[in-house]
Amino acid sequence: MISKKIEEAFNKQIMEEENASRIYLSMASWCDVNGYPGAAAFFHRQTQEERFHALKFLQYINERGGHAKLESLPQPTLEFKNIKEVFELSLEHEKYVTKCINNLYELAIEEKDYASQNWLNWFLEEQVEEETSMNDILDKIELVRMDEDGKRGFFMLDRELKELGDLPFDED
Ligand code: MG
């Protein structure tokens, strides 16, 4: 059984993961209409990952005797200055999610919930990976010289992003 405090905090995290999923979906759509198919594919994959994170929390809460409940989601940002800003905001958001996971870990320590601490380890590692991958892309963006709207120079990087893997809906 998880405590009420853990149940509430983990429920809030379902919302955070779903919110991240929607933020990336909005970014994918922006990339799509602004001529960045590779970046769009990248964010579509991120969307799927975040949804998977939300489902993991949902399942865990219910398995441990709680009740996973969905909350309303905020309106995601629809417009961005350029492609660089999209990745900057993504990194910022990942750092925010890392903070959320750290807070959950701290709460699990306070509640002496060792099982939840152990379970959260997967998310701690996942956040290191997410931040690293966003950082790597931003480093590459810094290396290519961008023009005003950030279009030039991104072409090769966009192709690289597309090659990271197939989109779920590309398979048949
Ligand atoms: Mg996540």
Side-chain angles (χ1 to χ4, degrees), residues 56-112:
K56 265 180 97 86
F57 272 98
L58 182 143
Q59 198 178 23
Y60 181 78
I61 293 166
N62 289 346
E63 272 175 8
R64 299 278 324 271
H67 182 183
K69 292 172 183 162
L70 304 187
E71 291 178 23
S72 313
L73 299 172
Q75 167 70 50
T77 306
L78 305 176
E79 295 294 342
F80 305 93
K81 252 194 301 183
N82 52 41
I83 190 69
K84 189 180 172 191
E85 189 191 50
V86 174
F87 282 98
E88 280 168 350
L89 291 174
S90 302
L91 177 61
E92 251 173 58
H93 195 77
E94 285 304 332
K95 285 180 177 169
Y96 167 73
V97 173
T98 300
K99 230 178 258 171
C100 293
I101 301 288
N102 288 345
N103 289 341
L104 293 180
Y105 200 91
E106 263 177 51
L107 181 66
I109 291 170
E110 278 168 32
E111 295 288 292
K112 296 190 177 5

Short mmCIF file of all heavy atoms in Angstrom, two decimals, residues 56-112:
data_model
loop_
_atom_site.label_atom_id
_atom_site.label_comp_id
_atom_site.label_asym_id
_atom_site.label_seq_id
_atom_site.Cartn_x
_atom_site.Cartn_y
_atom_site.Cartn_z
N LYS A 56 3.15 4.32 -16.92
CA LYS A 56 3.91 3.63 -15.87
C LYS A 56 3.46 4.10 -14.48
O LYS A 56 3.27 3.29 -13.58
CB LYS A 56 5.42 3.90 -16.04
CG LYS A 56 6.16 2.83 -16.83
CD LYS A 56 7.64 3.18 -16.96
CE LYS A 56 8.49 2.49 -15.92
NZ LYS A 56 8.92 1.13 -16.28
N PHE A 57 3.30 5.41 -14.32
CA PHE A 57 2.84 5.94 -13.04
C PHE A 57 1.42 5.46 -12.72
O PHE A 57 1.12 5.06 -11.60
CB PHE A 57 2.91 7.48 -13.01
CG PHE A 57 4.24 8.00 -12.56
CD1 PHE A 57 5.21 8.40 -13.47
CD2 PHE A 57 4.54 8.08 -11.21
CE1 PHE A 57 6.45 8.85 -13.05
CE2 PHE A 57 5.78 8.54 -10.77
CZ PHE A 57 6.74 8.92 -11.70
N LEU A 58 0.58 5.50 -13.74
CA LEU A 58 -0.81 5.08 -13.57
C LEU A 58 -0.88 3.63 -13.06
O LEU A 58 -1.56 3.33 -12.08
CB LEU A 58 -1.56 5.23 -14.91
CG LEU A 58 -3.05 4.89 -14.94
CD1 LEU A 58 -3.78 5.86 -15.88
CD2 LEU A 58 -3.31 3.47 -15.41
N GLN A 59 -0.13 2.78 -13.72
CA GLN A 59 -0.15 1.36 -13.37
C GLN A 59 0.42 1.13 -11.96
O GLN A 59 -0.12 0.36 -11.18
CB GLN A 59 0.69 0.60 -14.40
CG GLN A 59 0.41 -0.88 -14.41
CD GLN A 59 1.24 -1.58 -15.49
OE1 GLN A 59 2.28 -1.08 -15.92
NE2 GLN A 59 0.77 -2.74 -15.91
N TYR A 60 1.51 1.84 -11.65
CA TYR A 60 2.15 1.67 -10.34
C TYR A 60 1.20 2.07 -9.20
O TYR A 60 1.06 1.35 -8.21
CB TYR A 60 3.44 2.49 -10.28
CG TYR A 60 4.17 2.34 -8.96
CD1 TYR A 60 4.94 1.21 -8.70
CD2 TYR A 60 4.09 3.32 -7.97
CE1 TYR A 60 5.60 1.06 -7.48
CE2 TYR A 60 4.76 3.18 -6.76
CZ TYR A 60 5.50 2.05 -6.52
OH TYR A 60 6.16 1.89 -5.32
N ILE A 61 0.55 3.23 -9.36
CA ILE A 61 -0.37 3.70 -8.32
C ILE A 61 -1.46 2.66 -8.06
O ILE A 61 -1.73 2.29 -6.92
CB ILE A 61 -1.02 5.05 -8.73
CG1 ILE A 61 0.03 6.16 -8.77
CG2 ILE A 61 -2.16 5.43 -7.77
CD1 ILE A 61 -0.42 7.42 -9.48
N ASN A 62 -2.04 2.16 -9.13
CA ASN A 62 -3.14 1.18 -8.99
C ASN A 62 -2.65 -0.15 -8.42
O ASN A 62 -3.34 -0.76 -7.60
CB ASN A 62 -3.84 0.98 -10.33
CG ASN A 62 -4.67 2.19 -10.73
OD1 ASN A 62 -4.94 3.06 -9.90
ND2 ASN A 62 -5.07 2.25 -11.98
N GLU A 63 -1.47 -0.56 -8.83
CA GLU A 63 -0.92 -1.82 -8.32
C GLU A 63 -0.63 -1.77 -6.82
O GLU A 63 -0.70 -2.77 -6.12
CB GLU A 63 0.39 -2.17 -9.06
CG GLU A 63 0.17 -2.98 -10.31
CD GLU A 63 1.47 -3.21 -11.08
OE1 GLU A 63 2.57 -2.86 -10.56
OE2 GLU A 63 1.39 -3.71 -12.20
N ARG A 64 -0.28 -0.56 -6.37
CA ARG A 64 0.08 -0.41 -4.94
C ARG A 64 -1.12 0.01 -4.09
O ARG A 64 -0.95 0.59 -3.02
CB ARG A 64 1.23 0.58 -4.78
CG ARG A 64 2.53 0.22 -5.48
CD ARG A 64 3.42 -0.77 -4.70
NE ARG A 64 3.42 -0.63 -3.26
CZ ARG A 64 4.25 0.17 -2.58
NH1 ARG A 64 5.15 0.89 -3.20
NH2 ARG A 64 4.19 0.23 -1.27
N GLY A 65 -2.31 -0.22 -4.57
CA GLY A 65 -3.51 0.02 -3.76
C GLY A 65 -4.05 1.43 -3.80
O GLY A 65 -4.95 1.78 -3.02
N GLY A 66 -3.52 2.27 -4.69
CA GLY A 66 -4.05 3.63 -4.84
C GLY A 66 -5.04 3.68 -5.99
O GLY A 66 -5.45 2.65 -6.52
N HIS A 67 -5.41 4.88 -6.36
CA HIS A 67 -6.30 5.07 -7.50
C HIS A 67 -5.71 6.17 -8.39
O HIS A 67 -5.68 7.34 -7.99
CB HIS A 67 -7.71 5.44 -7.03
CG HIS A 67 -8.69 5.60 -8.16
ND1 HIS A 67 -9.99 5.99 -7.97
CD2 HIS A 67 -8.55 5.42 -9.50
CE1 HIS A 67 -10.60 6.05 -9.14
NE2 HIS A 67 -9.76 5.72 -10.08
N ALA A 68 -5.25 5.77 -9.56
CA ALA A 68 -4.68 6.74 -10.50
C ALA A 68 -5.80 7.56 -11.12
O ALA A 68 -6.75 7.00 -11.66
CB ALA A 68 -3.89 6.02 -11.58
N LYS A 69 -5.69 8.89 -10.99
CA LYS A 69 -6.73 9.79 -11.52
C LYS A 69 -6.13 10.83 -12.45
O LYS A 69 -5.08 11.40 -12.15
CB LYS A 69 -7.43 10.49 -10.35
CG LYS A 69 -8.26 9.53 -9.50
CD LYS A 69 -8.78 10.23 -8.26
CE LYS A 69 -9.53 9.25 -7.38
NZ LYS A 69 -9.67 9.76 -6.00
N LEU A 70 -6.80 11.08 -13.56
CA LEU A 70 -6.29 12.04 -14.53
C LEU A 70 -6.74 13.46 -14.18
O LEU A 70 -7.83 13.66 -13.68
CB LEU A 70 -6.77 11.69 -15.94
CG LEU A 70 -6.45 10.28 -16.44
CD1 LEU A 70 -6.83 10.14 -17.90
CD2 LEU A 70 -4.97 9.94 -16.25
N GLU A 71 -5.84 14.41 -14.45
CA GLU A 71 -6.15 15.82 -14.21
C GLU A 71 -6.22 16.57 -15.54
O GLU A 71 -5.79 16.04 -16.57
CB GLU A 71 -5.04 16.46 -13.36
CG GLU A 71 -4.99 15.94 -11.94
CD GLU A 71 -3.85 16.57 -11.14
OE1 GLU A 71 -3.38 17.66 -11.50
OE2 GLU A 71 -3.43 15.93 -10.15
N SER A 72 -6.73 17.79 -15.49
CA SER A 72 -6.74 18.63 -16.69
C SER A 72 -5.32 19.01 -17.06
O SER A 72 -4.45 19.10 -16.21
CB SER A 72 -7.51 19.92 -16.46
OG SER A 72 -8.72 19.66 -15.84
N LEU A 73 -5.12 19.27 -18.34
CA LEU A 73 -3.80 19.66 -18.83
C LEU A 73 -3.80 21.11 -19.29
O LEU A 73 -4.78 21.58 -19.85
CB LEU A 73 -3.38 18.75 -20.00
CG LEU A 73 -3.26 17.27 -19.69
CD1 LEU A 73 -3.03 16.49 -20.98
CD2 LEU A 73 -2.14 17.01 -18.70
N PRO A 74 -2.67 21.81 -19.07
CA PRO A 74 -2.61 23.19 -19.56
C PRO A 74 -2.49 23.25 -21.08
O PRO A 74 -2.09 22.27 -21.71
CB PRO A 74 -1.33 23.74 -18.90
CG PRO A 74 -0.64 22.63 -18.24
CD PRO A 74 -1.47 21.39 -18.34
N GLN A 75 -2.84 24.40 -21.63
CA GLN A 75 -2.68 24.63 -23.07
C GLN A 75 -1.18 24.68 -23.40
O GLN A 75 -0.45 25.46 -22.83
CB GLN A 75 -3.33 25.98 -23.41
CG GLN A 75 -3.01 26.53 -24.78
CD GLN A 75 -3.65 25.72 -25.89
OE1 GLN A 75 -4.85 25.45 -25.86
NE2 GLN A 75 -2.86 25.32 -26.86
N PRO A 76 -0.71 23.84 -24.33
CA PRO A 76 0.71 23.92 -24.68
C PRO A 76 1.02 25.11 -25.60
O PRO A 76 0.12 25.63 -26.24
CB PRO A 76 0.97 22.60 -25.42
CG PRO A 76 -0.35 22.15 -25.92
CD PRO A 76 -1.41 22.76 -25.03
N THR A 77 2.28 25.54 -25.62
CA THR A 77 2.73 26.60 -26.52
C THR A 77 2.58 26.14 -27.96
O THR A 77 2.89 25.00 -28.28
CB THR A 77 4.20 26.95 -26.22
OG1 THR A 77 4.32 27.23 -24.83
CG2 THR A 77 4.69 28.13 -27.03
N LEU A 78 2.08 27.04 -28.82
CA LEU A 78 1.83 26.67 -30.22
C LEU A 78 2.86 27.23 -31.19
O LEU A 78 3.12 26.66 -32.23
CB LEU A 78 0.44 27.16 -30.64
CG LEU A 78 -0.75 26.71 -29.78
CD1 LEU A 78 -2.03 27.37 -30.28
CD2 LEU A 78 -0.89 25.20 -29.77
N GLU A 79 3.44 28.39 -30.84
CA GLU A 79 4.37 29.05 -31.75
C GLU A 79 5.75 29.21 -31.12
O GLU A 79 5.85 29.43 -29.92
CB GLU A 79 3.83 30.45 -32.14
CG GLU A 79 2.54 30.42 -32.94
CD GLU A 79 2.71 29.82 -34.33
OE1 GLU A 79 3.85 29.72 -34.83
OE2 GLU A 79 1.67 29.41 -34.92
N PHE A 80 6.78 29.08 -31.95
CA PHE A 80 8.16 29.22 -31.47
C PHE A 80 8.93 30.15 -32.40
O PHE A 80 8.60 30.26 -33.58
CB PHE A 80 8.81 27.83 -31.41
CG PHE A 80 8.02 26.85 -30.59
CD1 PHE A 80 7.08 26.02 -31.18
CD2 PHE A 80 8.18 26.82 -29.21
CE1 PHE A 80 6.32 25.13 -30.42
CE2 PHE A 80 7.42 25.94 -28.44
CZ PHE A 80 6.49 25.10 -29.04
N LYS A 81 9.96 30.80 -31.83
CA LYS A 81 10.76 31.75 -32.61
C LYS A 81 11.49 31.04 -33.74
O LYS A 81 11.51 31.47 -34.87
CB LYS A 81 11.79 32.43 -31.69
CG LYS A 81 11.48 33.88 -31.40
CD LYS A 81 12.69 34.59 -30.78
CE LYS A 81 13.08 33.89 -29.50
NZ LYS A 81 14.16 34.44 -28.71
N ASN A 82 12.15 29.94 -33.39
CA ASN A 82 12.91 29.16 -34.36
C ASN A 82 13.18 27.77 -33.79
O ASN A 82 12.83 27.49 -32.64
CB ASN A 82 14.24 29.87 -34.73
CG ASN A 82 15.03 30.25 -33.49
OD1 ASN A 82 15.11 29.46 -32.53
ND2 ASN A 82 15.60 31.44 -33.48
N ILE A 83 13.84 26.94 -34.59
CA ILE A 83 14.05 25.55 -34.20
C ILE A 83 14.95 25.43 -32.96
O ILE A 83 14.76 24.54 -32.12
CB ILE A 83 14.62 24.72 -35.39
CG1 ILE A 83 14.62 23.22 -35.09
CG2 ILE A 83 15.99 25.18 -35.83
CD1 ILE A 83 13.25 22.59 -35.02
N LYS A 84 15.89 26.37 -32.84
CA LYS A 84 16.77 26.36 -31.67
C LYS A 84 15.96 26.56 -30.39
O LYS A 84 16.18 25.88 -29.38
CB LYS A 84 17.84 27.45 -31.81
CG LYS A 84 18.93 27.38 -30.77
CD LYS A 84 19.94 28.48 -30.97
CE LYS A 84 20.91 28.51 -29.81
NZ LYS A 84 21.76 29.72 -29.84
N GLU A 85 15.02 27.49 -30.45
CA GLU A 85 14.19 27.75 -29.27
C GLU A 85 13.38 26.51 -28.87
O GLU A 85 13.20 26.23 -27.68
CB GLU A 85 13.23 28.93 -29.51
CG GLU A 85 12.54 29.33 -28.22
CD GLU A 85 11.40 30.31 -28.38
OE1 GLU A 85 10.50 30.08 -29.22
OE2 GLU A 85 11.39 31.32 -27.65
N VAL A 86 12.94 25.76 -29.87
CA VAL A 86 12.17 24.54 -29.58
C VAL A 86 13.01 23.59 -28.72
O VAL A 86 12.54 23.06 -27.70
CB VAL A 86 11.72 23.84 -30.89
CG1 VAL A 86 11.04 22.52 -30.60
CG2 VAL A 86 10.79 24.74 -31.69
N PHE A 87 14.27 23.40 -29.11
CA PHE A 87 15.13 22.49 -28.34
C PHE A 87 15.55 23.08 -26.99
O PHE A 87 15.69 22.35 -26.01
CB PHE A 87 16.34 22.06 -29.17
CG PHE A 87 15.98 21.00 -30.18
CD1 PHE A 87 15.70 21.33 -31.49
CD2 PHE A 87 15.87 19.68 -29.79
CE1 PHE A 87 15.33 20.36 -32.42
CE2 PHE A 87 15.49 18.69 -30.70
CZ PHE A 87 15.22 19.03 -32.01
N GLU A 88 15.72 24.41 -26.95
CA GLU A 88 16.04 25.05 -25.66
C GLU A 88 14.90 24.85 -24.66
O GLU A 88 15.13 24.51 -23.50
CB GLU A 88 16.29 26.56 -25.87
CG GLU A 88 17.67 26.86 -26.40
CD GLU A 88 17.83 28.30 -26.89
OE1 GLU A 88 16.81 29.02 -26.99
OE2 GLU A 88 18.97 28.69 -27.18
N LEU A 89 13.67 25.04 -25.14
CA LEU A 89 12.51 24.87 -24.26
C LEU A 89 12.34 23.41 -23.84
O LEU A 89 11.92 23.12 -22.72
CB LEU A 89 11.23 25.38 -24.95
CG LEU A 89 11.16 26.90 -25.14
CD1 LEU A 89 9.93 27.28 -25.96
CD2 LEU A 89 11.13 27.64 -23.80
N SER A 90 12.69 22.49 -24.75
CA SER A 90 12.61 21.07 -24.42
C SER A 90 13.58 20.72 -23.30
O SER A 90 13.22 20.00 -22.36
CB SER A 90 12.99 20.21 -25.63
OG SER A 90 12.15 20.50 -26.69
N LEU A 91 14.80 21.23 -23.40
CA LEU A 91 15.79 20.97 -22.36
C LEU A 91 15.33 21.55 -21.03
O LEU A 91 15.40 20.88 -19.99
CB LEU A 91 17.16 21.53 -22.75
CG LEU A 91 18.26 21.37 -21.68
CD1 LEU A 91 18.53 19.90 -21.35
CD2 LEU A 91 19.57 22.05 -22.13
N GLU A 92 14.82 22.78 -21.09
CA GLU A 92 14.30 23.41 -19.87
C GLU A 92 13.20 22.55 -19.25
O GLU A 92 13.16 22.37 -18.03
CB GLU A 92 13.68 24.77 -20.22
CG GLU A 92 14.48 25.95 -19.74
CD GLU A 92 13.89 27.25 -20.26
OE1 GLU A 92 12.71 27.53 -19.98
OE2 GLU A 92 14.61 27.97 -20.98
N HIS A 93 12.33 22.04 -20.10
CA HIS A 93 11.23 21.24 -19.57
C HIS A 93 11.73 19.94 -18.97
O HIS A 93 11.23 19.50 -17.94
CB HIS A 93 10.15 20.98 -20.63
CG HIS A 93 8.88 20.49 -20.01
ND1 HIS A 93 8.00 21.33 -19.37
CD2 HIS A 93 8.40 19.24 -19.82
CE1 HIS A 93 7.03 20.62 -18.85
NE2 HIS A 93 7.23 19.35 -19.10
N GLU A 94 12.71 19.32 -19.60
CA GLU A 94 13.27 18.08 -19.04
C GLU A 94 13.90 18.35 -17.67
O GLU A 94 13.80 17.52 -16.77
CB GLU A 94 14.30 17.46 -19.99
CG GLU A 94 13.69 16.76 -21.19
CD GLU A 94 12.68 15.67 -20.84
OE1 GLU A 94 12.78 15.07 -19.75
OE2 GLU A 94 11.77 15.44 -21.65
N LYS A 95 14.55 19.51 -17.53
CA LYS A 95 15.14 19.86 -16.22
C LYS A 95 14.04 20.01 -15.17
O LYS A 95 14.22 19.62 -14.02
CB LYS A 95 15.95 21.16 -16.33
CG LYS A 95 17.29 20.96 -17.03
CD LYS A 95 18.05 22.27 -17.11
CE LYS A 95 19.41 22.04 -17.75
NZ LYS A 95 20.06 23.32 -18.08
N TYR A 96 12.92 20.58 -15.58
CA TYR A 96 11.78 20.72 -14.67
C TYR A 96 11.25 19.34 -14.25
O TYR A 96 11.00 19.10 -13.07
CB TYR A 96 10.67 21.55 -15.34
CG TYR A 96 9.36 21.49 -14.61
CD1 TYR A 96 9.19 22.17 -13.40
CD2 TYR A 96 8.30 20.72 -15.11
CE1 TYR A 96 7.99 22.08 -12.72
CE2 TYR A 96 7.10 20.63 -14.43
CZ TYR A 96 6.96 21.31 -13.22
OH TYR A 96 5.77 21.22 -12.53
N VAL A 97 11.13 18.43 -15.22
CA VAL A 97 10.64 17.08 -14.91
C VAL A 97 11.62 16.36 -13.97
O VAL A 97 11.20 15.66 -13.05
CB VAL A 97 10.37 16.25 -16.20
CG1 VAL A 97 10.03 14.81 -15.88
CG2 VAL A 97 9.23 16.88 -17.00
N THR A 98 12.92 16.56 -14.20
CA THR A 98 13.92 15.97 -13.31
C THR A 98 13.69 16.45 -11.87
O THR A 98 13.74 15.65 -10.93
CB THR A 98 15.35 16.36 -13.76
OG1 THR A 98 15.55 15.87 -15.09
CG2 THR A 98 16.42 15.78 -12.84
N LYS A 99 13.41 17.75 -11.73
CA LYS A 99 13.12 18.30 -10.40
C LYS A 99 11.90 17.61 -9.78
O LYS A 99 11.89 17.27 -8.60
CB LYS A 99 12.86 19.81 -10.53
CG LYS A 99 13.67 20.64 -9.52
CD LYS A 99 13.40 22.12 -9.71
CE LYS A 99 14.55 22.78 -10.46
NZ LYS A 99 14.25 24.17 -10.86
N CYS A 100 10.87 17.41 -10.59
CA CYS A 100 9.65 16.73 -10.11
C CYS A 100 9.99 15.32 -9.61
O CYS A 100 9.53 14.91 -8.55
CB CYS A 100 8.61 16.60 -11.22
SG CYS A 100 7.92 18.16 -11.77
N ILE A 101 10.78 14.58 -10.38
CA ILE A 101 11.14 13.20 -10.00
C ILE A 101 11.97 13.22 -8.72
O ILE A 101 11.76 12.41 -7.81
CB ILE A 101 11.90 12.48 -11.14
CG1 ILE A 101 11.06 12.41 -12.43
CG2 ILE A 101 12.36 11.09 -10.71
CD1 ILE A 101 9.88 11.47 -12.42
N ASN A 102 12.92 14.17 -8.64
CA ASN A 102 13.72 14.30 -7.41
C ASN A 102 12.84 14.56 -6.19
O ASN A 102 13.07 13.99 -5.12
CB ASN A 102 14.75 15.43 -7.55
CG ASN A 102 15.88 15.08 -8.49
OD1 ASN A 102 16.07 13.91 -8.84
ND2 ASN A 102 16.62 16.08 -8.93
N ASN A 103 11.84 15.42 -6.37
CA ASN A 103 10.92 15.72 -5.26
C ASN A 103 10.14 14.47 -4.84
O ASN A 103 9.90 14.25 -3.65
CB ASN A 103 9.94 16.82 -5.65
CG ASN A 103 10.62 18.18 -5.73
OD1 ASN A 103 11.70 18.38 -5.18
ND2 ASN A 103 10.00 19.11 -6.44
N LEU A 104 9.74 13.67 -5.83
CA LEU A 104 9.01 12.43 -5.51
C LEU A 104 9.92 11.48 -4.72
O LEU A 104 9.49 10.82 -3.78
CB LEU A 104 8.53 11.73 -6.79
CG LEU A 104 7.45 12.43 -7.62
CD1 LEU A 104 7.11 11.59 -8.84
CD2 LEU A 104 6.20 12.69 -6.78
N TYR A 105 11.19 11.43 -5.13
CA TYR A 105 12.15 10.57 -4.44
C TYR A 105 12.32 11.02 -2.98
O TYR A 105 12.32 10.20 -2.06
CB TYR A 105 13.49 10.60 -5.17
CG TYR A 105 14.37 9.42 -4.84
CD1 TYR A 105 14.32 8.26 -5.60
CD2 TYR A 105 15.25 9.46 -3.75
CE1 TYR A 105 15.11 7.17 -5.30
CE2 TYR A 105 16.04 8.37 -3.44
CZ TYR A 105 15.98 7.23 -4.22
OH TYR A 105 16.76 6.14 -3.91
N GLU A 106 12.43 12.34 -2.81
CA GLU A 106 12.55 12.89 -1.45
C GLU A 106 11.34 12.53 -0.59
O GLU A 106 11.48 12.17 0.58
CB GLU A 106 12.70 14.41 -1.52
CG GLU A 106 14.14 14.87 -1.44
CD GLU A 106 14.26 16.37 -1.58
OE1 GLU A 106 13.54 17.09 -0.84
OE2 GLU A 106 15.05 16.79 -2.43
N LEU A 107 10.16 12.64 -1.20
CA LEU A 107 8.93 12.31 -0.47
C LEU A 107 8.91 10.82 -0.10
O LEU A 107 8.52 10.46 1.02
CB LEU A 107 7.70 12.65 -1.33
CG LEU A 107 6.34 12.36 -0.69
CD1 LEU A 107 6.10 13.27 0.53
CD2 LEU A 107 5.20 12.52 -1.69
N ALA A 108 9.37 9.97 -1.02
CA ALA A 108 9.41 8.52 -0.75
C ALA A 108 10.36 8.22 0.42
O ALA A 108 10.12 7.31 1.22
CB ALA A 108 9.82 7.75 -2.00
N ILE A 109 11.43 9.02 0.53
CA ILE A 109 12.36 8.86 1.67
C ILE A 109 11.65 9.27 2.97
O ILE A 109 11.66 8.54 3.95
CB ILE A 109 13.66 9.68 1.45
CG1 ILE A 109 14.48 9.07 0.31
CG2 ILE A 109 14.50 9.74 2.74
CD1 ILE A 109 15.66 9.91 -0.15
N GLU A 110 11.01 10.46 2.92
CA GLU A 110 10.28 10.94 4.10
C GLU A 110 9.23 9.93 4.57
O GLU A 110 9.04 9.73 5.76
CB GLU A 110 9.53 12.24 3.77
CG GLU A 110 10.38 13.49 3.84
CD GLU A 110 9.66 14.69 3.23
OE1 GLU A 110 8.41 14.75 3.32
OE2 GLU A 110 10.36 15.56 2.66
N GLU A 111 8.56 9.32 3.60
CA GLU A 111 7.47 8.38 3.91
C GLU A 111 8.00 6.97 4.23
O GLU A 111 7.22 6.06 4.45
CB GLU A 111 6.50 8.30 2.72
CG GLU A 111 5.75 9.57 2.42
CD GLU A 111 4.67 9.89 3.45
OE1 GLU A 111 3.68 9.16 3.50
OE2 GLU A 111 4.86 10.86 4.21
N LYS A 112 9.32 6.83 4.20
CA LYS A 112 9.97 5.52 4.40
C LYS A 112 9.38 4.46 3.46
O LYS A 112 9.20 3.30 3.84
CB LYS A 112 9.84 5.06 5.85
CG LYS A 112 10.57 5.96 6.85
CD LYS A 112 10.58 5.29 8.20
CE LYS A 112 11.32 6.01 9.32
NZ LYS A 112 11.87 7.33 9.11
#
